[in-house]
Every structure is written in structure tokens, then in C-alpha cells.
Amino acid sequence: MAYDNDNIFAKILRGEIPCDKVHETEHALAFRDIAPKTPVHVLVIPKGAYVDAADFNARASDVEKIGFWQAVHETTAIAGVDGSGFRLTTNNGASAGQIVFHFHVHINGGRPLGGGKQPKGE
Ligand code: 5GP
């Protein structure tokens, strides 16, 4: 799938629509999810144009990758979940539930999240 420059997170990156910013670095922007599923629900996106995790992993430079994951790490502390536990999730592709096609990681926390939620086998 080609990257769509008009996706909602691209507009947030360009400042065309607002977000509740948590953290920003040279390589990433973190902001609160508009429909939080947990008391803390923050999205972290790279500043480069990547459709999904597979695209980011395949095409981003080492500097972008390190910068992105460092920003995720810092965001867990700023959001206050580093000591209490958190879940990192990325949905890769529509069949996995991805609805915004700019790579992003969800940070969920702020309450007990329960056991692992792996899909059941066929
Ligand atoms: P996905 O299913 O693609 O992994 O998750 C996309 C997430 O983006 C959803 O949790 C949704 O609530 C969030 N989202 C969609 N539109 C906006 C928006 O305009 N602003 C913010 N902050 N979050 C959004």
C-alpha cells in the first residue's frame, strides 16, 4: 500500500489538526489517543512517512529506528506508566485492526491490563 499524505496522523504531524501532545523529538511525536481504551493511552508515531510497522522496519534508517524507540521509552516515563506496567501494541494491516495508515505504537496502561491477549489458533 502506498503512503497517503492525507492520513490523519500526517495532518497531525503537519500541525493541520490538533493533538494532545505528550512528547516530541527529532524522530517521533507522542500524543494521547482520541478514544482512549485505558486511563493512559498514548500513540507514538515516527516523523517519516511509513505505512505500518513492516514498512518502517524495512525502510527506516537505523538512526530513525533508534530515535523512534528511544522516544517510545521516554514517553512511557512522561506518561507515568514506566513503573506500573504498560502494553505496547502495533496493528499491522487492516486485517490486524489498523485503521490509520501511518505507523504507530499504542502505549496502554494506568490500570491492570490482565493476562496476555494472543489470538486463538484455528
Ligand atoms: P489503529 O487501529 O490504526 O492501530 O489505531 C488508530 C488509533 O488512532 C485509534 O486508537 C484511534 O482512536 C486513534 N485516532 C484516530 N483518529 C485520531 C485523531 O484524530 N486523533 C487522535 N489523537 N487519535 C486518533
Side-chain angles (χ1 to χ4, degrees), residues 89-108:
T89 311
T90 190
N91 298 317
N92 192 106
S95 67
Q98 186 175 3
I99 56 172
V100 179
F101 289 89
H102 179 113
F103 171 50
H104 53 280
V105 169
H106 298 252
I107 299 172
N108 289 101

Side-chain angles (χ1 to χ4, degrees), residues 57-103:
N57 292 339
R59 294 196 303 109
S61 68
D62 290 352
V63 169
E64 288 176 289
K65 289 173 182 169
I66 292 167
F68 176 75
W69 288 108
Q70 182 64 29
V72 171
H73 176 59
E74 292 164 1
T75 300
T76 61
I78 293 166
V81 294
D82 55 330
S84 57
F86 57 87
R87 184 171 287 154
L88 295 181
T89 311
T90 190
N91 298 317
N92 192 106
S95 67
Q98 186 175 3
I99 56 172
V100 179
F101 289 89
H102 179 113
F103 171 50

Side-chain angles (χ1 to χ4, degrees), residues 8-9 12 17 31-35 37 41 43 91 97-100 104 106:
I8 200 89
F9 293 171
I12 286 174
I17 63 169
F31 53 92
R32 295 191 191 280
D33 196 292
I34 204 167
K37 302 227 172 6
H41 189 168
L43 305 170
N91 298 317
Q98 186 175 3
I99 56 172
V100 179
H104 53 280
H106 298 252

Side-chain angles (χ1 to χ4, degrees), residues 19-30:
C19 71
D20 184 357
K21 183 161 73 174
V22 175
H23 187 38
E24 183 169 12
T25 71
E26 180 184 354
H27 295 289
L29 177 67

